[in-house]
Amino acid sequence: MKKKNKRLLNILVYLMLFTIGCLILLMNLRDNLVFFYSPSEVFQKNLDPTNKIRVGGMVKKTSLKKEVKKIKGRSLEQISFVITDFNNEIKVSYIGILPDLFKEGQGVVVEGFITSNGMFNAKTVLAKHDENYMPPEIKDIKSIKENNNGI
Amino acid sequence: MIFKFANPLKFQRFTKQIQPFALSLSIIFLFFGLFFGFFRSPPDYLQGETVRIMYIHVPCAWFSLMIYSVIAMCSIFSIAFKHTLADIISRSCAPIGACFTLATLVTGSIWGKPTWGTWWVWDARLTSELILLIFYISLIIINNAYENKEKGDRYAAILAIIGIINLPIIKWSVDWWSTLHQPASISKLSSPSIDNSMLVPLFIMTFSLFFFFISVLLLRIRGEIIQRKIDVIKFSHVR
């Protein structure tokens, strides 16, 4: 074999070994690399309630409630909604400003703690955007179609 | 055909002829891309006018990956076959790629604030793209760290090959792990989930940035070849 072809082969073999190594590493770190857990994973894993975690899913339709509460002399708006992954759901309470894209039926990621009564006390709410981009008119046509199919 | 242009001096003459064409194509596409992007495409049903950031963010992200693949292939070629032109190309690519990566991160951040409600999160996609920027910056530093250019080229090539592993991680991070960043809208296997009226400005801007990359790359390659010629004259004079 020519010397330069041998060098090429060397590089490719090293690269392949390195890739396999990295893959093994990433597969084992999977739990630490996810940005958020789904509600089902939260129940499966029995997570430590003192740790800050992130939970993501869909905001369940007609679950969003806002009520004004007196906390420490100030009247604040307590927001509560349900996050679902269509298998399990988790109830979230939050005090603060919601992002503009926050809507029922849309994706959301919340960061905070699980309280003793199973509620999730969110410190941050992030809206998750999906990969669909379309003008408002087309969205209207699509939602009408979906509604008709539903009937 | 390839080996005809692989001679740096012949390549230099070739770049001189092609570069003005690439630059003018880039400017023409940029004009149409911005026009369609701002005036001839609808706002998004959910994001509203913010969607227009996509027309610059997405092509920049594509090219940040593409330019790194160019550097990676040149680096393998350079170490295996020791060809000067491969070194020249990867040395010329690194700062351009760094700029595209920085543009991706900055425009993404500006989009993220109104959409997600945050400038930055440490999710897999965003973090791996930041690591790509760090790789680019390291390549630039190593390229310029040695008095002897060959040494700089060689060490940078080794680092570039190690960094290849980052490319599939960036590409598939949104599928492998749950991330805040949305999955790809355009893929080979399925029809794009972006409406056609929004695809037009996106692709025109992609062409514009592609020709911009080519024209800057050719300019930098020409400069690099001239610089190396000067070095040869200087060192032969010293001896």
Side-chain angles (χ1 to χ4, degrees), chain B residues 9-238:
Chain B
L9 295 181
K10 273 181 187 147
F11 193 78
Q12 188 195 357
R13 240 169 284 150
F14 166 74
T15 58
K16 209 172 178 176
Q17 289 164 350
I18 298 295
Q19 200 266 340
F21 286 106
L23 189 63
S24 26
L25 274 175
S26 165
I27 291 168
I28 292 166
F29 276 121
L30 182 69
F31 174 77
F32 281 105
L34 289 180
F35 177 73
F36 275 93
F38 277 114
F39 304 110
R40 285 285 177 276
S41 69
D44 185 63
Y45 78 106
L46 208 61
Q47 308 162 57
E49 305 290 343
T50 330
V51 70
R52 300 183 204 284
I53 295 172
M54 170 185 75
Y55 304 137
I56 190 85
H57 174 77
V58 173
C60 281
W62 283 341
F63 288 126
S64 71
L65 295 181
M66 192 200 78
I67 295 169
Y68 197 92
S69 343
V70 172
I71 294 178
M73 280 189 285
C74 284
S75 299
I76 292 175
F77 203 80
S78 146
I79 288 191
F81 305 121
K82 301 217 185 291
H83 203 288
T84 322
L85 191 62
D87 288 330
I88 291 171
I89 292 173
S90 53
R91 190 181 274 257
S92 310
C93 274
I96 313 173
C99 290
F100 275 113
T101 315
L102 190 65
T104 309
L105 290 171
V106 170
T107 53
S109 188
I110 295 169
W111 181 84
K113 184 64 185 167
T115 317
W116 296 334
T118 178
W119 296 104
W120 180 266
V121 288
W122 292 101
D123 85 343
R125 173 55 79 76
L126 276 65
T127 309
S128 53
E129 184 76 12
L130 183 67
I131 292 172
L132 183 70
L133 180 64
I134 295 169
F135 263 107
Y136 272 125
I137 292 171
S138 315
L139 289 180
I140 298 169
I141 292 172
I142 293 175
N143 266 330
N144 297 302
Y146 299 92
E147 195 111 326
N148 180 355
K149 272 199 168 182
E150 271 175 36
K151 225 176 183 179
D153 287 334
R154 191 174 162 73
Y155 292 151
I158 293 169
L159 183 72
I161 292 170
I162 293 170
I164 292 175
I165 188 70
N166 197 22
L167 296 181
I169 294 177
I170 296 173
K171 174 78 178 65
W172 286 298
S173 54
V174 287
D175 304 320
W176 291 344
W177 305 294
S178 58
T179 54
L180 187 60
H181 194 285
Q182 62 269 30
S185 302
I186 298 170
S187 71
K188 258 184 213 159
L189 297 174
S190 57
S191 61
S193 47
I194 298 182
D195 191 71
N196 284 338
S197 56
M198 294 171 176
L199 277 179
V200 173
L202 179 62
F203 281 130
I204 299 176
M205 284 304 287
T206 307
F207 287 133
S208 170
L209 287 180
F210 175 73
F211 287 115
F212 176 75
F213 161 62
I214 293 293
S215 88
V216 177
L217 176 65
L218 293 180
L219 206 62
R220 285 188 57 85
I221 289 175
R222 202 141 61 91
E224 187 62 36
I225 293 173
I226 291 169
Q227 182 66 49
R228 278 173 196 239
K229 272 200 232 166
I230 293 170
D231 287 350
V232 168
I233 295 167
K234 247 195 331 207
F235 286 121
S236 64
H237 186 72
V238 168

Side-chain angles (χ1 to χ4, degrees), chain A residues 7 35-36 129 131 133-134, chain B residues 45 47 80 178 185 193 195:
Chain A
R7 275 201 298 263
F35 186 64
F36 58 83
H129 187 258
E131 70 273 29
Y133 295 74
M134 55 190 136
Chain B
Y45 78 106
Q47 308 162 57
S178 58
S185 302
S193 47
D195 191 71

Side-chain angles (χ1 to χ4, degrees), chain A residues 18-34, chain B residues 124 127-128 131 164-173 176-177:
Chain A
F18 183 63
T19 310
I20 292 168
C22 284
L23 277 178
I24 293 169
L25 195 75
L26 290 174
M27 289 304 147
N28 284 306
L29 282 173
R30 201 183 172 278
D31 271 1
N32 299 314
L33 285 171
V34 292
Chain B
T127 309
S128 53
I131 292 172
I164 292 175
I165 188 70
N166 197 22
L167 296 181
I169 294 177
I170 296 173
K171 174 78 178 65
W172 286 298
S173 54
W176 291 344
W177 305 294

Side-chain angles (χ1 to χ4, degrees), chain A residues 43-105:
Chain A
F43 291 119
Q44 272 167 25
K45 286 185 200 297
N46 271 331
L47 297 157
D48 183 3
T50 54
N51 277 348
K52 203 179 204 179
I53 56 162
R54 280 182 290 251
V55 179
M58 286 281 184
V59 182
K60 199 182 179 188
K61 281 189 178 158
T62 69
S63 72
L64 182 65
K65 287 185 189 77
K66 291 179 184 177
E67 50 181 316
V68 178
K69 267 191 182 171
K70 283 265 188 205
I71 296 168
K72 288 177 193 164
R74 286 189 301 163
S75 59
L76 292 169
E77 200 176 37
Q78 168 113 31
I79 299 157
S80 70
F81 53 90
V82 173
I83 294 181
T84 173
D85 61 357
F86 306 110
N87 289 320
N88 283 298
E89 43 192 49
I90 193 163
K91 207 169 175 221
V92 180
S93 74
Y94 174 63
I95 294 171
I97 301 161
L98 291 171
D100 290 348
L101 258 73
F102 182 92
K103 259 184 199 169
E104 290 180 340

